[in-house]
Every structure is written in C-alpha cells, then in structure tokens.
Amino acid sequence: MLRVNRILLIVSFLIMQLHCTNKPNKEDTVVNTTIKDETTSTSDAIKQDKKVVLFFGDSLTAGYGLQEEDAFPALVQDRIDSLGVGYKVVNGGLSGDTSSNGKSRVSWVLQNPVDVFVLALGANDMLRGLNLESTEENLRAILETVQAKNKNTKIIVAGMIAPPNMG
C-alpha cells in the first residue's frame, strides 16, 4: 500500500506541474485509431485533448487478482478526476512481464503519444533470479525507446527494494 501511495503522490504532483505549465497545442494532436486493446484508450484521450499517463508494468500494475477499478492505475485516474485535470491514465500492465518482455513490447504501446510514462517493471526479474545487469540494460533500453519516440515525455521510474535473499 505504501508503494501505491508514493506513486499516487508522485504522479499527482507531476500532473499538477504539467497542468499548470503546459498549454495544449492542437497542432501537436495526432489521432491513430488503428490500435486496439490498451492503447485504444490512448487514442480516445487524444481525441478529447487529454494528456496521457501510461503505466507500463507487470501484474502489480495490471492489478492481478483485483477488479480493474482497484488496480493502482485506476486509483491514480480517480485521483486525477477528483482534481479536475484533463489526463487519461492507461494501464499498460501485463501479468508475468519481465524487463525483457517489456523491452519487446514498449514500441507497440508507444504507437500513440504519451505525455507521462511510468515504468514499473523488474519484480518478475527479481522473483525469477534473473541477472541484475540484464534487467538494468532492459530498463535502460525501454527508457531510451520512450525518449527516442518523444523527448518531451516525462518519465517516472517506480522502483522497489529487493528482499535480501533475492539479490
């Protein structure tokens, strides 16, 4: 729960900062309606001139075992809605994903513009005892892909502390 509260606080702060400093530019709005599933919400947000916050992670992000509205990206959306700012949260979590899986799918989820990218991968790498250097390389590659796609995308890296017996 502490992790969810920290992420809510960080994302809320970032959104408030972006909302106060950025004015929408209609010339930058691009609509791509050919993408389905998790990025369909991104297309809908673009049509509504909303900024997009993409949570890109594993089962912790996806809300494995929870109702969709109880996953932490949905809780962040509730908080954003309560503030009355125009952001759409997209849950890009996929249960079982490792950093390597994320590296393979990040380009697909970035087919539509993203204003805030929250990277929340690595827990499954730890649980599977994967090489720490490989995990770090994969996470760096994901961040580089996001930046190459749009250098103005704000990035949040949600980390966790590995238990001592897991590295």
Side-chain angles (χ1 to χ4, degrees):
M1 190 62 171
L2 182 60
R3 180 178 182 204
V4 171
N5 287 336
R6 283 184 183 168
I7 291 172
L8 281 170
L9 179 66
I10 291 168
V11 171
S12 295
F13 175 76
L14 182 60
I15 287 171
M16 288 180 66
Q17 183 182 17
L18 288 172
H19 184 71
C20 292
T21 59
N22 290 344
K23 302 293 181 212
N25 183 353
K26 295 195 185 279
E27 293 175 4
D28 292 338
T29 303
V30 178
V31 177
N32 181 350
T33 57
T34 60
I35 303 167
K36 303 292 181 212
D37 301 321
E38 66 197 41
T39 56
T40 299
S41 298
T42 308
S43 293
D44 294 342
I46 295 166
K47 291 177 192 174
Q48 299 169 11
D49 284 334
K50 289 187 175 183
K51 292 189 179 274
V52 175
V53 179
L54 173 64
F55 282 86
F56 189 72
D58 50 32
S59 58
L60 298 172
T61 303
Y64 179 76
L66 301 174
Q67 296 294 320
E68 186 176 331
E69 64 271 8
D70 293 330
F72 78 83
L75 299 176
V76 171
Q77 182 69 68
D78 291 345
R79 177 72 174 144
I80 289 169
D81 292 345
S82 76
L83 295 171
V85 293
Y87 285 82
K88 171 68 178 165
V89 173
V90 177
N91 187 340
L94 185 60
S95 293
D97 236 8
T98 63
S99 62
S100 178
N101 299 133
K103 180 180 163 185
S104 296
R105 71 181 178 99
V106 68
S107 293
W108 185 82
V109 299
L110 293 173
Q111 290 183 43
N112 284 310
V114 172
D115 299 289
V116 180
F117 184 90
V118 182
L119 178 59
L121 283 171
N124 288 318
D125 295 60
M126 175 193 62
L127 291 172
R128 295 176 188 178
L130 300 179
N131 182 297
L132 185 59
E133 288 78 24
S134 295
T135 299
E136 185 176 342
E137 286 175 21
N138 292 332
L139 295 174
R140 285 187 191 280
I142 291 169
L143 297 175
E144 289 168 2
T145 300
V146 173
Q147 287 291 280
K149 183 73 173 174
N150 181 355
K151 65 180 177 154
N152 294 320
T153 298
K154 306 296 184 205
I155 296 175
I156 298 172
V157 178
M160 65 184 327
I161 298 172
N165 65 331
M166 301 217 151

